[in-house]
Amino acid sequence: MAADRNTIAKGIKELKSESDITFNQHRIRRKGGGRKTSESLIPGLNETFLEVLKIYTAGSPMDEKIKWTNLTQQEIVEGLKFHGITVSVTVVQKLLKKHGYVITSTSKKTNNRNNK
């Protein structure tokens, strides 16, 4: 695979004109490139997300930063879809982390004394 002649010429020109500061930079590409986040593309996503979790949220009485929900990620996706917002489970995972939520599930306990 051969590189385009114009790309090579542009690279040589950049190398000749760059200073030591440029060589010590960690970024290769310009800032702002790449895919935009769902939060920036979907207006009201955070508010709707919090509305979906509102009645399914519990927290620690000792630490207000600890919050959890018993909804599954898929149930949250369905709740958002009901409000007209279509997102993936991955976006829900990011929103849960951003807002400090942990998912808990109820566990069924068995009494071993009666099973002798």
Side-chain angles (χ1 to χ4, degrees):
M1 179 193 263
D4 183 46
R5 172 183 288 180
N6 294 331
T7 304
I8 294 171
K10 184 179 176 183
I12 291 170
K13 183 179 176 184
E14 284 178 8
L15 288 172
K16 288 181 180 178
S17 67
E18 300 297 326
S19 65
D20 291 336
I21 297 169
T22 307
F23 285 117
N24 293 329
Q25 288 180 346
H26 296 290
R27 293 190 66 84
I28 294 173
R29 297 183 179 177
R30 286 179 281 170
K31 197 169 187 165
R35 188 181 209 171
K36 304 299 178 210
T37 63
S38 296
E39 288 182 62
S40 64
L41 294 175
I42 303 171
L45 177 60
N46 283 309
E47 295 80 12
T48 308
F49 170 77
L50 294 172
E51 183 67 30
V52 168
L53 293 182
K54 190 176 188 177
I55 62 172
Y56 298 99
T57 298
S60 170
M62 304 301 281
D63 188 356
E64 64 184 41
K65 293 180 183 177
I66 299 175
K67 299 179 284 190
W68 60 84
T69 180
N70 61 348
L71 291 177
T72 65
Q73 293 171 1
Q74 189 59 45
E75 289 171 333
I76 297 169
V77 167
E78 295 300 321
L80 288 169
K81 194 178 289 185
F82 178 77
H83 289 280
I85 296 176
T86 304
V87 294
S88 67
V89 174
T90 306
V91 172
V92 169
Q93 289 171 346
K94 290 177 183 178
L95 288 169
L96 285 166
K97 185 174 182 178
K98 175 185 177 185
H99 293 287
Y101 277 89
V102 177
I103 293 182
T104 63
S105 61
T106 56
S107 60
K108 189 174 184 180
K109 294 183 179 182
T110 58
N111 188 349
N112 289 332
R113 283 189 263 173
N114 295 335
N115 296 337
K116 288 183 179 181

